[in-house]
Amino acid sequence: MASAVGAELLLKGCGSRLPPCSLTEEDLAANPGLANLLMDLTTHMDSSGLSVNLAQQMEEARKELQRCRANWLKWEVIHRLLQEALRELGTGPAPQDRKFLEVLEKQLLIAELKQILHPDPSIRGTESSLLGLESSHVLELLPPKQDLEQMQKRLPTELEKRLKSKCLAVLGYYRPETDGAGESARAVMSGTLAENLAAEKQRLKEAQSRSQELVGLLEQQKAAYPQVLLRCLAILKSLACEFRLGAQSELDQLNTRYLETKCNAMFLKIRLEELSILLETYTPEKVDVHRMMRDKLKATLSQEEQDLATSRKILSNYETLGPEFEELVKEYAQLKAIIENRRWVLAEFSKD
């Protein structure tokens, strides 16, 4: 009972706070304290398996990394816009743009050199710079102060114009239907572009989180379904053994009786066909003739039996006379043969 309650609490209350696992009710029943242990662990760990303190530190580190990335991305965007401006304005620049481009290009080159000389401010002074150069050596190459001030006055206008162009390009990619809108309408839409993109990103993030939850539920179901199928197979096996095989003997007896009755009916049908053939073959006239023939044969057989009995009686009388009678019989047979021979000769002479 305790394991069932623990399993219910684990599956309903704490399942979303634990990492994806393939626990079943049988596992919890086999290990009574496992459910309570996992419920206690939920107070010390999150759904990814990390401890609460480590997860908090990871979250702070992630936020710091996100802030640094945002800061780097901001300056990287400005740098790339300036590089793009140099490439676009550098093709046949007007006289008023030539000075601006020269000062801007020098300023960018010096900034890149400073970054190469000291890539990490935290280690400045602890390691020797490239070729023994310092930032002061690079700063000597800066343009005059007046040219820098003029370039800095014009720079925000150029950046604003290019940033606006990029925003409108992103807006056209994100919402292609706005390409036919007016300039003012597109400017208003671009003002809310950041919020829309952030909302879209949040929706994607929520969808990804939901997808991960669904993957966890899918894993749990994939682990639970084989257990359910095994239980169903066991139930089907017991039903087959109890009902199907138990009624098989009775069914076999019924089938045997049915086949026996069918065989008897077949034999009777064969006998009926045989009698029908006999009835068609032996008509009453034929039967009377056969009966007369039978009576005649019986009479002949009786007469022959009587003759046989008489012959046996005479033979038995002859056998009582002894060997002398046998000599007389042989002599009689010889004389009879001679007589028959002479009769044949006389008959032949008579023919001639």
Side-chain angles (χ1 to χ4, degrees):
M1 184 64 182
S3 61
V5 174
E8 184 178 0
L9 292 175
L10 177 63
L11 294 175
K12 292 184 178 180
C14 305
S16 60
R17 287 185 287 169
L18 287 174
C21 55
S22 58
L23 286 176
T24 61
E25 296 180 2
E26 288 77 7
D27 298 332
L28 296 175
N31 303 277
L34 181 59
N36 296 329
L37 175 61
L38 293 177
M39 292 175 62
D40 293 338
L41 286 177
T42 56
T43 60
H44 302 282
M45 60 188 297
D46 62 354
S47 59
S48 63
L50 296 176
S51 63
V52 176
N53 295 332
L54 184 58
Q56 185 177 2
Q57 296 176 6
M58 291 287 290
E59 181 65 20
E60 294 176 357
R62 186 188 63 80
K63 291 181 180 180
E64 181 65 21
L65 178 61
Q66 186 176 3
R67 186 187 63 80
C68 293
R69 283 179 175 177
N71 189 27
W72 173 85
L73 183 61
K74 177 180 66 175
W75 292 108
E76 182 67 17
V77 168
I78 295 175
H79 183 266
R80 292 191 180 187
L81 286 175
L82 294 177
Q83 293 287 349
E84 183 178 347
L86 289 176
R87 287 193 299 271
E88 292 179 0
L89 297 178
T91 57
Q96 64 272 17
D97 296 333
R98 188 176 297 112
K99 192 68 175 178
F100 171 76
L101 293 177
E102 291 178 356
V103 175
L104 178 59
E105 185 174 7
K106 288 183 179 180
Q107 183 69 24
L108 290 176
L109 288 175
I110 291 172
E112 291 178 359
L113 288 174
K114 289 176 63 178
Q115 182 65 25
I116 293 173
L117 291 176
H118 300 287
D120 190 355
S122 63
I123 60 173
R124 182 177 300 176
T126 59
E127 295 182 1
S128 58
S129 60
L130 182 64
L131 301 177
L133 295 176
E134 297 293 340
S135 300
S136 59
H137 299 152
V138 178
L139 293 177
E140 295 176 357
L141 302 176
L142 285 174
K145 184 176 181 181
Q146 183 180 0
D147 295 339
L148 285 175
E149 291 177 354
Q150 293 178 358
M151 184 271 294
Q152 292 174 357
K153 288 180 181 180
R154 183 178 173 180
L155 184 59
T157 305
E158 290 290 336
L159 289 176
E160 182 179 0
K161 181 175 67 175
R162 293 186 177 278
L163 285 173
K164 184 178 180 181
S165 175
K166 295 295 182 182
C167 289
L168 293 177
V170 173
L171 179 64
Y173 176 80
Y174 178 64
R175 299 180 61 183
E177 68 276 6
T178 60
D179 291 340
E183 189 70 23
S184 59
R186 295 183 68 191
V188 173
M189 293 178 184
S190 63
T192 60
L193 181 60
E195 290 79 2
N196 294 334
L197 291 177
E200 185 70 19
K201 183 178 179 182
Q202 182 63 26
R203 285 195 296 270
L204 291 175
K205 189 174 181 180
E206 293 175 357
Q208 185 178 7
S209 177
R210 179 57 181 169
S211 176
Q212 291 178 356
E213 293 180 1
L214 293 177
V215 168
L217 293 176
L218 179 61
E219 292 296 330
Q220 293 179 358
Q221 292 178 357
K222 285 171 64 177
Y225 282 167
Q227 302 296 329
V228 176
L229 290 176
L230 290 176
R231 287 198 295 269
C232 292
L233 288 175
I235 294 173
L236 290 176
K237 185 177 180 181
S238 63
L239 291 176
C241 293
E242 183 176 356
F243 296 100
R244 182 69 178 89
L245 298 179
Q248 188 65 39
S249 59
E250 182 179 357
L251 181 62
D252 292 340
Q253 292 178 1
L254 294 176
N255 290 332
T256 303
R257 293 174 184 173
Y258 168 74
L259 293 175
E260 183 179 359
T261 305
K262 188 173 182 180
C263 290
N264 293 332
M266 185 64 67
F267 291 150
L268 291 175
K269 186 175 182 181
I270 293 172
R271 181 59 179 167
L272 178 62
E273 294 294 332
E274 182 181 359
L275 294 177
S276 299
I277 293 172
L278 292 175
L279 183 62
E280 293 176 359
T281 303
Y282 300 102
T283 59
E285 293 79 8
K286 293 180 180 180
V287 172
D288 293 338
V289 172
H290 288 173
R291 186 177 291 110
M292 293 172 61
M293 294 172 61
R294 184 183 63 185
D295 294 340
K296 186 176 180 180
L297 290 174
K298 285 184 177 180
T300 305
L301 179 61
S302 177
Q303 184 63 38
E304 292 294 333
E305 289 178 351
Q306 291 178 2
D307 294 342
L308 179 61
T310 304
S311 299
R312 286 179 177 176
K313 185 177 181 181
I314 294 172
L315 181 60
S316 61
N317 292 331
Y318 287 155
E319 289 177 353
T320 57
L321 296 178
E324 293 82 2
F325 182 74
E326 291 182 1
E327 293 295 335
L328 293 174
V329 172
K330 291 180 180 180
E331 184 178 355
Y332 173 74
Q334 291 176 359
L335 291 174
K336 189 176 181 180
I338 292 171
I339 293 170
E340 290 295 332
N341 189 15
R342 289 179 179 180
R343 284 179 181 177
W344 177 77
V345 171
L346 290 174
E348 292 296 328
F349 286 153
S350 299
K351 290 180 182 178
D352 294 338

